[in-house]
Amino acid sequence: MAIIDGKKLAEDCRAQLKQMVVSLSYVPVLAVVSVGDDKASKIYVRNKEKAAAEVGIKCDVYSFPEAVFQKELESLIIRLNQDKTVHGIIVQQPLPKSIDGGVLLDFISAEKDVDGFGVLNAGRLLLNEKGGIVAATPKGILRMLEATGEPLVGKHAVIIGRSKIVGRPLAALLLNQHCTVTVAHSKTQNLPEICRTADILIAACGQPKMVKKNWVKKGAVVIDVGINRDENGKICGDVDFDDVVDIAKFISPVPGGVGPMTVAMLLENTVQTSLVQTKEN
Ligand code: NDP
């Protein structure tokens, strides 16, 4: 068994980005739109600011109270789209119920949609067309899979979760890598049985420690996307790490797995799209 060290992979990625950014004639700028006081959301924003500063990306956070009007956010995004000094725009999730996040995403121009959640970038990924921005979490997971050195072609990947930000784009990404992909969800029948057929098992369902040893084929690669709290308030994934660790060939931990890679890929997307916008590539 080997641990897939997402923290280390992310550090390496940030170091490479830092080198690249230092050689540019401009400072890449990431605009983060943050609404309300959700604790997790605030932590995610702080982590992004910190990581961006480390690689030389300027992170402008636009914070609004929960009572902000949708129109105000839409106007801000229109302004940011037009601002040539801004290269990437994200809307931090989760949003208060009063805000329609899907509509806000539609306002972000595709070339600045560094989360890759907009329909154009998501569609490009689905159709395996070049030139799109790939969502950070799936992109980070692919890097982690590549880091194992295990071939992907023809492998059966089972993804638990079909969200717009993880499960669905990841399914497209792995299909484009010639995996045979099964997407499971809350209505899936015989889930443990399906998971046992996976060469690559990816848990992204937000259910603390749901995946047990008897769900995993011996020698499988297991990636844990979940960020949950266990019964003691400790951060844990969707995989019962201690139970599964001996049966998997590779396994990613929580924390220190997909989380840091997600942030690193967001920064990479920001630098890449800034190169396209400034034509410095
Ligand atoms: P969502 O809640 O949007 O989606 C969860 C998915 O899991 C849904 O498709 C749901 O099915 C499915 N699901 C829920 N319960 C079960 C179950 N018992 N059995 C099978 N499938 C189930 O979550 P996200 O995709 O946004 O996030 C998933 C997890 O990953 C969370 O813990 C989140 O915190 C974490 N996360 C981590 C990131 C990172 O960087 N490490 C980034 C993003 C998320 P259905 O569609 O039928 O409801």
Side-chain angles (χ1 to χ4, degrees), residues 194-263:
I194 290 168
C195 291
R196 273 198 301 275
T197 67
D199 304 305
I200 300 164
L201 179 59
I202 299 163
C205 52
Q207 302 296 321
K209 301 184 187 176
M210 185 177 82
V211 175
K212 304 288 182 194
K213 188 178 190 164
N214 62 350
W215 294 39
V216 180
K217 178 160 90 176
K218 192 166 176 12
V221 179
V222 179
I223 304 276
D224 191 352
V225 186
I227 305 176
N228 315 292
R229 297 259 170 205
D230 69 10
E231 57 284 0
N232 304 314
K234 232 179 106 197
I235 297 275
C236 73
D238 292 342
V239 176
D240 189 336
F241 185 91
D242 294 337
D243 199 39
V244 169
V245 70
D246 289 333
I247 194 163
K249 186 167 180 188
F250 293 93
I251 184 166
S252 75
V254 177
V258 177
M261 281 305 281
T262 295
V263 178

Side-chain angles (χ1 to χ4, degrees), residues 3 7 14 27 47 99 108 117 130 145 166 197 204 213 230 257:
I3 306 279
K7 192 164 170 245
R14 291 198 305 271
V27 176
N47 287 345
I99 301 299
I108 302 177
F117 295 161
K130 290 198 168 58
L145 290 173
V166 188
T197 67
K213 188 178 190 164
D230 69 10

